[in-house]
């Protein structure tokens, strides 16, 4: 996407810029990775570059789901099949199906499920709902949206050379088994917590999430739990939703997405669960404000996407979703084994589609550049996810199988 260059001509408007944007140190991580890929391709036009950078799905959407979206699209061309604006909270059937498939067993109700155009979008809207006066904690490293949206919302101070003043960074590294020491973590209003974690691939255990919920209860905090990769969890001791933890409904909301499950990264469909029991300090239900946000600045998820989501949640569709997830998990296992065989410290890749590889003493962007130059493979530098990601590189398992196999051959040639 072309970004306007800084114009040197005299500006026409007298509108002041939102000063928070000036705090951001660079462009958003993934467009910067893409820019460097384009630059490398321009300098090496014959290079066949493989992308294991952005976590974007690559495999076709399964037939049951595609057929449902096809039929919905065709239906829009008929009087009886046409529909316009839907409920901003999502179609009742979709809310019901998400509940039955994922949350009824942990006490959640359809009225607590809000269907959206994706988790990233919901994270931005959640930030708008919380407002700029709240304090925020994030895992470090973590999905960049938590920090960048907090900066843009004015919840933080300036960049201090390593990270942003005013944010509590809960360091997650091999030394602490990728779970923060909550006894040393100050209170914040909001705690962003992603499990399985992007980028480390670490899935929190039941015990760890029990600690997290108790920590939030003690401090009167709200957990924004990001479960975008929960279906990749195979460890029975790692919950697939925060609501498996008793009492979580009083301190947590959960956002999730069809993106990595059904290949919906381009179709755009997600949801956020806001329990009735989640209240602000004054007792007002958070759900009510979330509903106000969704009805005020969102006009509902696409009717075609929701038809696809409903099909994905059917018995047949859900089986197809699990086949897709299993395919990417196999990719992750191939990559994990390869790097372990090359003698690297490798994390993740078991309960998540990301492999987190340590390059001790190396700058992440340097390793990114070395892999791009020597292997023609795009990865994501760990420092792009936070200061604690420095010295690591994330490799995505989202790819065609032949590309994954080609990539491991290239890695073996260069790093054996
Ligand atoms: C923890 C987590 N939560 C939400 C998303 C995005 O979900 P959707 O907006 O529903 O596609 C993502 C997507 N992450 C990809 C895509 C990059 C991006 O969304 O900016 C990545 O880390 O490569 C994610 O990792």
């Amino acid at each position: 996407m072309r970004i306007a260059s800084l114009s040197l001509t005299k500006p026409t408007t007298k509108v002041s810029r939102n000063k928070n944007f000036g705090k951001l140190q660079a462009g958003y991580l993934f467009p910067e990775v893409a820019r460097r890929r384009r630059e490398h391709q321009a300098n090496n036009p014959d290079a066949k570059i493989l992308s294991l950078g952005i976590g974007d799905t690559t495999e076709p959407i399964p037939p049951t789901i595609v057929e449902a979206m096809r039929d919905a699209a065709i239906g829009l061309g008929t009087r009886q099949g046409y529909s316009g604006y839907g409920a901003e909270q999502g179609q009742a059937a979709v809310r019901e199906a998400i509940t039955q498939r994922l949350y009824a067993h942990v006490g959640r109700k359809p009225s607590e499920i809000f269907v959206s155009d994706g988790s990233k979008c919901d994270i931005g809207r959640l930030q708008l709902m919380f407002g700029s006066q709240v304090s925020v904690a994030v895992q470090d490293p973590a999905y960049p949206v938590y920090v960048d949206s907090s900066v843009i919302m004015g919840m933080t101070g300036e960049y201090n050379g390593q990270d942003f003043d005013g944010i509590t960074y809960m360091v997650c590294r091999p030394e602490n088994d990728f779970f923060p020491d909550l006894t040393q973590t100050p209170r914040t209003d909001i705690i962003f917590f992603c499990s399985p974690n992007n980028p480390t691939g670490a899935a929190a255990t039941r015990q760890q999430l029990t600690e997290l919920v108790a920590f939030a209860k003690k401090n009167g905090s709200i957990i924004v739990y990001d479960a975008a990769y929960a279906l990749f969890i195979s460890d029975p001791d790692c919950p697939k939703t925060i609501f498996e933890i008793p009492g979580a409904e009083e301190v947590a909301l959960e956002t999730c997405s069809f993106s990595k499950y059904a290949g919906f990264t381009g179709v755009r469909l997600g949801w956020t669960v806001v329990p009735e029991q989640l209240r602000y300090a004054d007792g007002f239900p958070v759900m009510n404000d979330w509903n106000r946000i969704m009805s005020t600045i969102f006009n509902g998820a696409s009717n075609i996407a929701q038809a696809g989501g409903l099909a994905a949640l059917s018995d047949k569709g859900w089986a197809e979703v699990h086949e897709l997830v299993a395919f990417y998990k196999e990719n992750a296992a191939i990559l994990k084994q390869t790097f372990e065989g090359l003698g690297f410290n490798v994390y993740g890749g078991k309960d998540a589609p990301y492999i987190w590889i340590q390059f001790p003493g190396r700058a992440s962007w340097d390793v990114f550049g070395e892999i791009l130059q020597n292997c023609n493979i795009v990865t994501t530098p760990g420092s792009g996810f936070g200061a604690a990601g420095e010295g690591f590189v994330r490799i995505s398992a989202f790819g065609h199988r032949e590309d994954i196999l080609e990539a491991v051959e290239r890695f073996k040639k260069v790093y054996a």
Side-chain angles (χ1 to χ4, degrees):
M1 186 187 111
R2 173 126 183 70
I3 306 286
S5 57
L6 267 180
S7 148
L8 299 179
T9 54
K10 190 174 171 314
T12 306
T13 79
K14 293 182 174 46
V15 178
S16 305
R17 181 189 186 203
N18 172 344
K19 65 182 185 326
N20 295 312
F21 284 96
K23 298 175 185 170
L24 293 168
Q25 293 307 297
Y28 184 59
L29 173 61
F30 296 102
E32 175 57 21
V33 167
R35 186 190 67 76
R36 297 193 191 204
R37 171 196 173 143
R38 285 194 300 275
E39 197 176 63
H40 179 71
Q41 187 75 79
N43 296 334
N44 306 273
D46 300 335
K48 180 181 180 277
I49 297 176
L50 297 176
S51 177
L52 302 180
I54 188 166
D56 191 4
T57 45
T58 55
E59 301 315 292
I61 294 174
T64 305
I65 301 166
V66 164
E67 285 155 19
M69 290 197 284
R70 175 203 62 198
D71 295 346
I74 292 168
L76 290 175
T78 66
R79 282 291 289 262
Q80 69 277 20
Y82 177 76
S83 65
Y85 286 132
E88 299 88 348
Q89 300 79 11
Q91 293 169 8
V94 178
R95 302 175 83 183
E96 177 68 30
I98 291 172
T99 307
Q100 292 313 317
R101 185 61 70 185
L102 295 164
Y103 295 107
H105 70 293
V106 289
R108 305 280 51 85
K109 301 187 293 192
S111 58
E112 298 173 329
I113 311 287
F114 292 80
V115 182
S116 73
D117 52 343
S119 285
K120 182 189 237 183
C121 321
D122 277 349
I123 291 162
R125 290 186 279 254
L126 284 166
Q127 293 281 48
L128 203 56
M129 178 183 77
F130 289 131
S132 61
Q133 301 310 307
V134 297
S135 54
V136 170
V138 299
Q139 294 159 292
D140 181 4
Y143 180 43
V145 173
Y146 312 139
V147 168
D148 289 11
S149 60
S150 296
V151 174
I152 291 168
M153 274 300 294
M155 297 163 172
T156 79
E158 297 292 337
Y159 186 72
N160 57 34
Q162 168 171 304
D163 48 33
F164 288 91
D165 293 338
I167 289 190
T168 295
Y169 290 89
M170 304 185 292
V171 170
C172 297
R173 287 177 65 94
E175 301 81 74
N176 62 2
D177 196 19
F178 297 101
F179 187 79
D181 179 354
L182 297 176
T183 64
Q184 303 302 314
T185 304
R187 180 201 178 279
T188 57
D189 296 309
I190 308 299
I191 303 168
F192 282 98
F193 197 92
C194 176
S195 178
N197 177 268
N198 170 17
T200 67
T205 65
R206 196 172 310 283
Q207 174 54 38
Q208 288 171 333
L209 292 181
T210 302
E211 271 176 51
L212 178 68
V213 167
F215 177 69
K217 276 189 159 180
K218 175 169 74 74
N219 289 335
S221 306
I222 292 179
I223 299 166
V224 176
Y225 191 80
D226 191 334
Y229 303 97
L231 234 51
F232 286 82
I233 293 175
S234 26
D235 184 336
D237 187 34
C238 298
K240 290 189 169 64
T241 166
I242 188 68
F243 300 118
E244 288 188 36
I245 308 302
E249 66 280 1
E250 293 173 38
V251 291
L253 56 87
E254 178 168 307
T255 185
C256 199
S257 169
F258 286 89
S259 281
K260 321 300 177 157
Y261 297 169
F264 271 33
T265 48
V267 172
R268 309 306 305 142
L269 191 67
W271 68 88
T272 291
V273 190
V274 187
E276 276 173 6
Q277 298 90 327
L278 186 65
R279 303 295 167 107
Y280 289 113
D282 63 2
F284 192 81
V286 174
M287 175 202 271
N288 290 22
D289 282 356
W290 183 238
N291 186 61
R292 188 67 160 86
I293 282 276
M294 293 302 267
S295 43
T296 307
I297 59 169
F298 182 60
N299 260 335
S302 148
N303 39 24
I304 297 172
Q306 290 192 74
L310 195 55
L313 293 158
S314 69
D315 289 346
K316 198 154 177 289
W318 204 239
E320 291 171 347
V321 161
H322 278 83
E323 281 168 30
L324 261 185
V325 167
F327 173 84
Y328 292 124
K329 281 174 68 77
E330 281 163 33
N331 282 353
I334 292 166
L335 289 161
K336 186 178 176 75
Q337 272 158 2
T338 298
F339 279 95
E340 284 170 344
L342 292 171
F344 284 89
N345 298 332
V346 185
Y347 306 95
K350 183 169 112 16
D351 298 304
Y354 297 127
I355 295 89
W356 189 238
I357 304 166
Q358 193 167 17
F359 288 78
R362 301 281 311 275
S364 300
W365 275 109
D366 290 349
V367 177
F368 166 87
E370 176 184 280
I371 293 174
L372 184 56
Q373 189 59 41
N374 298 343
C375 304
N376 286 315
I377 295 175
V378 178
T379 59
T380 308
S383 55
F385 297 97
E390 184 56 281
F392 289 82
V393 158
R394 187 193 81 173
I395 294 191
S396 164
F398 291 114
H400 300 317
R401 185 56 49 81
E402 62 272 22
D403 290 344
I404 298 294
L405 295 173
E406 166 67 19
V408 300
E409 288 316 307
R410 294 185 193 179
F411 284 128
K412 284 178 188 167
K413 258 198 213 102
V414 172
Y415 290 102

